[in-house]
Amino acid sequence: MTSKEFVYKVLATKKRVVSLKSLSSELETSMPTLFHTLKQLEHDGLVEIRYEGDIKVRAKTIEDYTG
């Protein structure tokens, strides 16, 4: 499993918005490296990145497209 797939799976399991800082801490990955991966996932249409004071991210799941 690639790191992109792993990061997406973690986010999809959470089913909520998480901050980049807390996700970075949980995955023990530097924020710049994780942000780069998240930007790739955003480009693929799999995550939504929000800039609300700090950076927040949420996985898009099938419910986003069917609900």
Side-chain angles (χ1 to χ4, degrees):
M1 186 181 303
T2 68
S3 63
K4 268 181 24 174
E5 292 168 338
F6 179 74
V7 170
Y8 177 75
K9 188 169 187 135
V10 168
L11 286 169
T13 302
K14 290 184 178 299
K15 297 182 181 180
R16 62 181 170 84
V17 175
V18 247
S19 74
L20 175 63
K21 185 176 182 178
S22 66
L23 187 61
S24 172
S25 177
E26 180 180 337
L27 299 178
E28 297 179 351
T29 305
S30 73
M31 286 199 295
T33 300
L34 182 57
F35 186 69
H36 177 73
T37 301
L38 292 170
K39 289 299 284 181
Q40 290 175 337
L41 288 166
E42 181 184 47
H43 181 266
D44 294 344
L46 297 173
V47 301
E48 175 184 356
I49 298 174
R50 300 179 189 167
Y51 304 92
E52 301 171 346
D54 58 347
I55 299 171
K56 307 255 187 209
V57 64
R58 179 181 75 86
K60 291 184 179 179
T61 59
I62 194 69
E63 290 83 22
D64 291 315
Y65 301 102
T66 60

